[in-house]
């Protein structure tokens, strides 16, 4: 008989238990959701850094492989980085001439690119040296820059805290 009373009295949750579970879940979610967005933006910024460095080194190899001039340009308005096959054109790399062969589009909520560019000749040397830099859109600010030296074609990678202008 005691067992039958116990079964009847232990069906379901009480209102107090339900409120307690909802309160605990709301506390956990209020902490977890903002941090998840923060970590996603940090991860995406790191991904952009790797993409830019890889693309610049790939462009240099592409110039040597295809015996052509290759330009890498950034566009602040479009918030993108593009790679052009310039053929035999050795003029300013970011004049809009050439065949588009690759594009990296950056999310403005995560990173903002500054205007810049450079180009490689068929030997992998720098035709026009320059820098492409982007900075994080959120605080604390950090930047990532890839620069190519004129003539030597040396690729230099810089990163740090602050803005592109403070590198």
């Amino acid at each position: 008989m005691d067992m039958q009373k116990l079964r009847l009295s232990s069906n379901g949750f009480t209102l107090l238990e339900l409120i307690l579970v909802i309160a605990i879940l709301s506390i956990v979610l209020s902490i977890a959701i903002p941090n998840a967005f923060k970590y996603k933006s940090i991860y995406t910024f790191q991904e952009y850094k790797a993409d830019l460095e890889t693309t610049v080194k790939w462009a240099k190899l592409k110039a040597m492989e295809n015996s052509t001039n290759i330009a890498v340009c950034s566009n602040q308005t479009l918030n993108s980085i593009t790679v052009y096959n310039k053929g035999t054109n050795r003029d300013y790399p970011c004049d809009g001439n050439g065949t588009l062969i690759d594009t990296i589009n950056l999310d403005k909520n995560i990173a903002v690119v500054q205007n810049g560019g450079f180009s490689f000749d068929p030997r992998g040397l720098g035709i026009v040296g320059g820098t492409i830099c982007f900075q994080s859109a959120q605080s604390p600010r950090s930047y990532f820059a890839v620069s190519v030296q004129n003539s030597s074609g040396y690729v230099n990678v810089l990163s740090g805290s602050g803005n592109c202008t403070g590198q």
Side-chain angles (χ1 to χ4, degrees), residues 21-119:
V21 168
I22 291 171
I24 291 170
L25 279 174
S26 65
I27 291 170
V28 169
L29 290 175
S30 69
I31 294 169
I33 290 174
N35 285 334
F37 288 122
K38 176 183 171 188
Y39 288 122
K40 183 189 180 307
S41 68
I42 290 170
Y43 173 78
T44 304
F45 188 78
Q46 297 297 328
E47 188 177 12
Y48 290 156
K49 288 168 60 173
D51 283 351
L52 176 58
E53 184 175 2
T54 303
T55 299
V56 169
K57 291 177 180 178
W58 171 82
K60 184 175 182 174
L61 289 173
K62 198 76 168 165
M64 293 186 290
E65 180 182 281
N66 294 338
S67 295
T68 188
N69 299 316
I70 300 288
V72 182
C73 305
S74 58
N75 185 317
Q76 190 170 10
T77 306
L78 299 175
N79 209 43
S80 65
I81 300 162
T82 52
V83 180
Y84 293 97
N85 181 338
K86 302 285 282 183
T88 58
N89 185 348
R90 295 178 64 88
D91 294 338
Y92 182 71
C94 300
D95 59 5
N97 295 325
T99 305
L100 179 66
I101 56 176
D102 194 18
T103 302
I104 302 172
N105 293 309
L106 284 71
D107 182 347
K108 284 191 177 193
N109 296 320
I110 296 172
V112 179
V113 71
Q114 305 295 313
N115 286 328
F118 40 80
S119 57

Side-chain angles (χ1 to χ4, degrees), residues 117-139:
F118 40 80
S119 57
F120 298 104
D121 73 3
R123 296 171 293 167
L125 301 176
I127 299 170
V128 175
T131 301
I132 293 177
C133 183
F134 61 82
Q135 63 194 33
S136 60
Q138 295 136 2
S139 293

